[in-house]
Amino acid sequence: MNIQENISILPLNTFRMNGRARFLAVYESTDELRYILQHKAELFGNKNIPVLCIGEGSNLLFTKDFEGVLLRSSMRRARAVRETADEVFIEADAGLCMDDLIAQLTDMQLYGLENLSYIPGTVGASAVQNVGAYGVEAKDVIDQVRVLNIQDLNEITLSQADCRFGYRDSCFKHGQGKKYIVSAVTYRLSKQPVYHLEYGQLSQQLPSQPTANQIRQAVIRIRQSKLPDVHKVGSAGSFFKNPVVSKDVYNNLSHSYIDIPSYSVGDGSEYKIPAAWLIEKSGCKSFAVGDATVWQPQPLVLVNQHNAEPQDIVQLAQMIVNRVNRQFGIELQREVIYI
Ligand SMILES: Cc1cc2nc3c(=O)[nH]c(=O)nc-3n(C[C@H](O)[C@H](O)[C@H](O)COP(=O)(O)OP(=O)(O)OC[C@H]3O[C@@H](n4cnc5c(N)ncnc54)[C@H](O)[C@@H]3O)c2cc1C
């Protein structure tokens, strides 16, 4: 276990926000995590100090210094735990980089996660956030999630249904679910190709029977052409969720805007509208506050060009929410989590 006090959060978040956290505790096993949670008074001088589990900080905006304990797992193993004629079940530790796992799986010709290639972040957060891209969400492949309850310190296993996954949502973001720290996720991978190539320009870039690795490489190429490189430009990916509206709202909008893109969701009674289109159409692409700007190739992403303050990002996001709401009557919801 490694505990540091008064540390800079700069290396802990992809938005490249400067600031300070009171403590950072890195644990190497679930027993160490239990020990940290059990001994907060001795370790941190306050048994009620708040704790926050983080992964790579790629979906967070630290709006101020964090006066608590950031918990981070350094457990990064993955192992096959079960196999059938058609599937392999892989259990991965929460601290493992999701993209490193996907690289291994595609090399093994296991299908299911390849569309999620190159999304920053950890295995643990993939379940919390139900990450998604190119028509696939983590929930489609998650079999079960092992969690530690920070109140009674028991470790339990939740089924896929227990996790109540939704669009960038899960039980871990609400009520009692917030008391869980994810320690491992088991994914159900297929030995045979299961293709989801209808989104974006994926199919145009691929042969008719692509391998998992060819899909992964195509996803990486497309993402690199549209999204900021986390090593060069500060961001947390899509800042807003794509709004889901009723058929009536959609019909009204499509009378005024005949080019409005949409995807029918669920039983067809609702429509998902790309937030990027709403942002661009309402003229927000040129908005900026200090060094906080809209990423031109993908306006759903807000970026810290150099030295943006958290409040610059907050203000820019609010300006966009207000403008989109005024023009379309739709209130954009944040995907990025404010700390
Ligand atoms: C350039 C870029 C592109 C992106 N593209 C996509 C995309 O295509 N699709 C997509 O869905 N997301 C995308 N994201 C967002 C981000 O990558 C995901 O949300 C990712 O899952 C966050 O992982 P993390 O480890 O960085 O989590 P963090 O940002 O550190 O944490 C996210 C949340 O998970 C919680 N958490 C983290 N680990 C645990 C744990 N072990 N137990 C309990 N709670 C935990 C945190 O408390 C926090 O609430 C993108 C981000 C960037 C910067």
Side-chain angles (χ1 to χ4, degrees), residues 21-292:
R22 187 68 212 283
F23 293 99
L24 169 68
V26 178
Y27 54 93
E28 285 171 28
S29 66
T30 306
D31 282 344
E32 280 192 2
L33 174 59
R34 269 200 196 93
Y35 182 90
I36 292 167
L37 293 167
Q38 234 164 2
H39 295 86
K40 288 198 286 185
E42 297 105 280
L43 294 170
F44 312 115
N46 174 2
K47 76 175 169 51
N48 296 318
I49 192 165
V51 296
L52 174 72
C53 188
I54 61 163
E56 294 177 7
S58 63
N59 211 26
L60 306 178
L61 178 68
F62 283 95
T63 57
K64 54 183 180 301
D65 289 347
F66 183 67
E67 298 299 338
V69 185
L70 295 176
L71 294 167
R72 212 177 191 202
S73 168
S74 65
M75 297 155 72
R76 302 202 178 95
R77 282 164 309 149
R79 59 226 149 244
V81 287
R82 194 152 68 89
E83 186 168 350
T84 66
D86 305 318
E87 293 175 327
V88 180
F89 293 74
I90 303 276
E91 185 185 68
D93 290 339
L96 180 64
C97 166
M98 185 71 180
D99 195 51
D100 289 350
L101 173 69
I102 298 173
Q104 288 179 47
L105 298 176
T106 53
D107 281 348
M108 292 159 71
Q109 283 299 325
L110 291 175
Y111 292 80
L113 285 172
E114 57 281 359
N115 287 37
L116 305 186
S117 292
Y118 216 58
I119 298 179
T122 52
V123 161
S126 79
V128 176
Q129 300 294 93
N130 184 24
V131 292
Y134 300 101
V136 172
E137 290 179 312
K139 73 163 173 56
D140 303 333
V141 191
I142 289 177
D143 181 55
Q144 55 185 39
V145 179
R146 194 144 48 82
V147 295
L148 183 87
N149 181 329
I150 61 170
Q151 283 163 4
D152 62 20
L153 303 182
N154 284 327
E155 205 174 22
I156 59 165
T157 298
L158 302 178
S159 69
Q160 201 264 12
D162 292 337
C163 296
R164 297 197 307 277
F165 289 117
Y167 172 41
R168 300 296 175 276
D169 199 19
S170 68
C171 72
F172 309 110
K173 294 184 155 194
H174 307 278
Q176 290 296 304
K178 289 185 179 175
K179 69 184 178 202
Y180 294 131
I181 290 182
V182 176
S183 37
V185 179
T186 304
Y187 302 96
R188 186 173 30 81
L189 286 317
S190 171
K191 294 181 186 177
Q192 300 304 322
V194 185
Y195 294 130
H196 300 277
L197 306 176
E198 57 285 354
Y199 278 77
Q201 312 128 12
L202 256 188
S203 56
Q204 296 157 27
Q205 303 229 356
L206 290 164
S208 60
Q209 300 283 307
T211 63
N213 220 340
Q214 285 173 320
I215 298 169
R216 170 173 167 75
Q217 296 311 324
V219 168
I220 291 175
R221 276 196 304 277
I222 298 172
R223 292 183 68 93
Q224 282 177 333
S225 70
K226 287 193 176 160
L227 294 168
D229 177 345
V230 279
H231 302 292
K232 295 185 182 147
V233 182
S235 89
S238 302
F239 202 91
F240 302 104
K241 295 183 187 180
N242 291 315
V244 176
V245 300
S246 68
K247 197 169 184 173
D248 285 347
V249 170
Y250 172 73
N251 284 341
N252 281 339
L253 285 170
S254 61
H255 282 126
S256 313
Y257 304 96
I258 48 169
D259 58 337
I260 189 167
S262 67
Y263 308 92
S264 163
V265 289
D267 60 3
S269 61
E270 292 184 316
Y271 287 82
K272 192 183 272 190
I273 300 175
W277 185 87
L278 298 169
I279 291 168
E280 183 155 8
K281 195 78 180 176
S282 54
C284 301
K285 246 178 123 173
S286 57
F287 282 10
V289 178
D291 265 353

